[in-house]
Amino acid sequence: MASSWRAVMSALGAVVLALCVLAGPYAMGVAVLLLCGVFAWGWPVLMGTPSPRGSTVTITVVAVACVVVVIAMESPAYLSIVMAFGVIGAFLQQLARTDGRENIVGAVSATVTGVVVVTSASGWVLAIMDFAGEETVITGLAVLVLASAVTAFPFRSAYGAAAAAVLGAGGGLAIGAIFPH
């Protein structure tokens, strides 16, 4: 996938999350679940795991559990437990394989990394529940959109990264200054 395509998809995902801020934590939870589902489907293929279907199922189950726990508890206190079960699930998924278990270390690493990413994604749902959460989430997503937009242009990698960092940080400061909290 070309870097400009990845940048556009990242910006699109951030825009979807920003629109869900207006609808509340349940809409944000649904949007995070949809984006985590796309991630869970593509991540094992991108990492070249020998059993992408099992990794996708493990990552998806953890994503659903994380969003449900965050919405039910309104706290990140139990996310570590869900993530620990996700790591155990990654090992169990590898034990259930019947294809000779080639590249088991890479497969477990890829699945556990996916578990960490979707666990972190549930933080968007948690952030919106905070006192200044809507402002914080919109500012963070605006930074993501700005930085992604810069990386869509065909710069050399060092110049593009510097421009993305400067424009993202500057845009975040400008947008953050608009909000009262």
Side-chain angles (χ1 to χ4, degrees):
M1 180 184 297
S3 63
S4 60
W5 180 251
R6 285 190 305 266
V8 169
M9 295 308 290
S10 296
L12 180 64
V15 168
V16 167
L17 288 177
L19 291 174
C20 289
V21 167
L22 304 172
Y26 294 114
M28 179 68 86
V30 169
V32 166
L33 283 178
L34 290 174
L35 292 172
C36 285
V38 171
F39 173 80
W41 173 66
W43 182 252
V45 175
L46 180 68
M47 293 288 99
T49 61
S51 59
R53 188 176 311 147
S55 296
T56 297
V57 169
T58 303
I59 295 169
T60 303
V61 167
V62 170
V64 170
C66 285
V67 170
V68 167
V69 163
V70 164
I71 288 175
M73 300 297 175
E74 295 183 9
S75 168
Y78 297 102
L79 286 179
S80 58
I81 296 170
V82 174
M83 191 163 60
F85 277 114
V87 171
I88 292 169
F91 282 107
L92 291 176
Q93 183 254 330
Q94 293 303 314
L95 287 173
R97 283 178 46 199
T98 59
D99 61 355
R101 295 191 188 106
E102 295 177 17
N103 192 17
I104 193 164
V105 173
V108 169
S109 298
T111 305
V112 169
T113 303
V115 165
V116 170
V117 169
V118 297
T119 303
S120 300
S122 66
W124 289 109
V125 180
L126 187 63
I128 199 173
M129 295 179 187
D130 191 40
F131 168 68
E134 293 177 357
E135 298 168 359
T136 304
V137 170
I138 288 175
T139 303
L141 291 171
V143 169
L144 185 59
V145 168
L146 290 171
S148 294
V150 170
T151 61
F153 294 105
F155 292 122
R156 300 184 102 184
S157 61
Y159 298 126
V166 169
L167 185 64
L173 285 171
I175 292 169
I178 294 170
F179 292 120
H181 297 103

